[in-house]
């Protein structure tokens, strides 16, 4: 069969009208894709730098907001410039050869203006590359200068902060706060400290006992002096007025009667024994003539 002479019928409406629509749709799609990939956002507390595939890292630091970039050629790198805590523990030897385990908490943040330099030299995980090494080195150098019992004072904390701040500044890292969270000594040194505290407490207790004995002695002397003075005054009162004894008997009889009246039991005792025979008392005072 000869196919060269076969005629193919044309479709109604033709394909020429659909071609511009397809081209227009492709242009719109490429435009939307280009716009979507040409914008990036920098959230609050962050900064951005841009890596260009042709020129490398740009020196400009982009603040918060929405920024433009060239798709595929530019790539933004976002840095968190807010202070973040880092906990590091280090075991060091003191000057008196005691092993001390120190827990340190530091608040660090990158210097925003130096983000391009930080990215070139350290990358994005700059904290993990720099902080552990400089903290361990600083703690070992500071702890080795003091005895174990001197590490509790705040002077060492200030010195550690000073040295760490200077070392971190060499890597464009700012330290907002440095604090010692834990301080653990060896078993032998801990036992020695506990024994020293117990001895100090025992000394304070012995001192208290001595002071208490002295106070008891003084109170006994004062009480004896008071009783002697009281006896002297009573003797003078009896000598001046014999009715003083009668008055004391009346007061004693009143107290005994009050006690017996309030008692639930019934008692039958001699009036002479209870000092209640008031009729026989001689109330006439015979003073000195």
């Amino acid at each position: 069969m000869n196919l060269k002479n076969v005629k193919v019928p044309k479709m109604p409406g033709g394909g020429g009208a659909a071609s511009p629509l397809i081209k227009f749709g492709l242009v719109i799609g490429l435009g939307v894709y280009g716009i979507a990939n040409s914008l990036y956002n920098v959230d609050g507390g962050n900064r951005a730098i841009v890596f260009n595939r042709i020129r490398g890292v740009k020196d400009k630091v982009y603040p918060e907001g929405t920024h433009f970039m060239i798709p595929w050629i530019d790539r933004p790198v976002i840095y968190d410039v807010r202070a973040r805590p880092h906990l590091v523990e280090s075991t060091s030897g003191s000057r008196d050869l005691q092993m001390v385990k120190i827990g340190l908490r530091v608040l660090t943040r990158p210097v925003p203006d130096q983000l391009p330099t930080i990215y070139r030299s350290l990358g994005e995980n700059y904290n993990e590359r720099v902080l552990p090494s400089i903290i361990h080195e600083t703690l070992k150098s500071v702890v080795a200068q003091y005895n174990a019992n001197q590490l509790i004072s705040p002077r060492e904390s200030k010195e550690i902060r000073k040295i760490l701040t200077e070392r971190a500044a060499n890597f464009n890292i700012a330290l907002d706060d440095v604090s010692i969270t834990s301080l653990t000594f060896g078993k032998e040194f801990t036992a020695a400290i506990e024994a020293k505290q117990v001895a100090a407490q025992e000394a304070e207790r012995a001192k208290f006992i001595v002071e208490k004995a002295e106070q008891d002695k003084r109170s006994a002397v004062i009480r004896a002096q008071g009783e002697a003075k009281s006896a002297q005054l009573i003797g003078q009162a009896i000598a001046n007025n014999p009715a003083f004894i009668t008055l004391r008997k009346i007061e004693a009889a009143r107290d005994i009667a009050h006690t017996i009246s309030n008692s639930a039991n019934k008692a039958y005792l001699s009036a002479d024994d209870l000092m209640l025979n008031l009729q026989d008392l001689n109330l006439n005072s015979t003073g000195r003539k």
Side-chain angles (χ1 to χ4, degrees):
M1 180 183 293
N2 189 3
L3 299 177
K4 294 181 179 180
N5 297 326
V6 178
K7 295 181 179 180
V8 179
K10 295 182 179 181
M11 297 297 294
S19 179
L21 293 177
I22 295 174
K23 293 179 180 179
F24 181 75
L26 290 174
V27 172
I28 294 298
L30 291 174
V32 173
Y33 176 81
I35 294 175
N37 288 273
S38 298
L39 300 176
Y40 65 94
N41 293 325
V42 180
D43 297 332
N46 295 338
R47 297 293 185 273
I49 60 174
V50 175
F51 174 77
N52 188 277
R53 294 180 183 271
I54 300 174
R55 299 170 50 191
V57 180
K58 297 181 180 180
D59 294 332
K60 182 179 179 181
V61 178
Y62 296 87
E64 304 165 359
T66 302
H67 304 279
F68 176 80
M69 68 175 180
I70 301 175
W72 189 81
I73 296 179
D74 292 338
R75 179 173 61 87
V77 180
I78 308 298
Y79 277 92
D80 188 354
V81 296
R82 292 170 293 189
R84 292 183 295 175
H86 298 274
L87 298 176
V88 180
E89 291 185 350
S90 177
T91 302
S92 306
S94 62
R95 188 173 63 179
D96 54 354
L97 304 180
Q98 297 292 335
M99 298 306 296
V100 183
K101 184 178 181 181
I102 300 179
L104 201 66
R105 176 182 178 271
V106 295
L107 288 177
T108 64
R109 56 181 176 84
V111 179
D113 297 337
Q114 300 299 324
L115 287 179
T117 304
I118 294 176
Y119 183 77
R120 292 189 186 100
S121 58
L122 301 175
E124 297 184 39
N125 56 342
Y126 60 93
N127 280 333
E128 288 74 11
R129 295 186 177 183
V130 174
L131 287 181
S133 60
I134 64 175
I135 289 177
H136 287 298
E137 182 181 354
T138 301
L139 290 178
K140 290 181 182 297
S141 63
V142 173
V143 172
Q145 300 176 9
Y146 301 95
N147 293 331
N149 57 355
Q150 296 175 339
L151 297 174
I152 306 176
S153 63
R155 177 182 57 185
E156 284 69 32
S157 178
K158 294 180 180 179
E159 185 172 355
I160 291 173
R161 177 173 183 175
K162 178 182 177 182
I163 297 176
L164 274 181
T165 302
E166 295 175 354
R167 291 294 308 278
N170 296 331
F171 299 94
N172 300 307
I173 300 175
L175 268 66
D176 292 337
D177 182 65
V178 177
S179 58
I180 297 176
T181 58
S182 61
L183 193 63
T184 306
F185 300 97
K187 295 181 179 179
E188 295 79 6
F189 187 77
T190 303
I193 292 178
E194 292 178 354
K196 183 177 180 181
Q197 293 294 329
V198 171
Q201 292 177 0
E202 292 293 336
E204 290 293 332
R205 182 179 179 183
K207 181 179 179 181
F208 171 76
I209 293 175
V210 172
E211 292 179 354
K212 184 175 182 298
E214 292 179 355
Q215 293 294 333
D216 292 341
K217 180 180 178 180
R218 293 176 183 174
S219 62
V221 172
I222 295 174
R223 184 168 55 252
Q225 292 176 352
E227 292 177 354
K229 185 67 174 178
S230 176
Q232 180 181 1
L233 294 177
I234 292 174
Q236 293 178 357
I238 293 174
N240 294 331
N241 189 1
F244 179 78
I245 298 178
T246 304
L247 177 62
R248 285 300 180 90
K249 288 183 178 181
I250 295 174
E251 292 178 352
R254 183 184 61 188
D255 294 338
I256 295 173
H258 179 72
T259 302
I260 293 177
S261 64
N262 293 331
S263 176
N265 299 324
K266 293 183 178 180
Y268 298 94
L269 298 176
S270 173
D272 295 335
D273 295 334
L274 295 177
M275 302 179 67
L276 296 177
N277 192 10
L278 301 180
Q279 294 179 356
D280 297 337
L281 294 178
N282 186 9
L283 300 181
N284 295 324
S285 61
T286 56
R288 294 182 178 179
K289 295 182 180 181

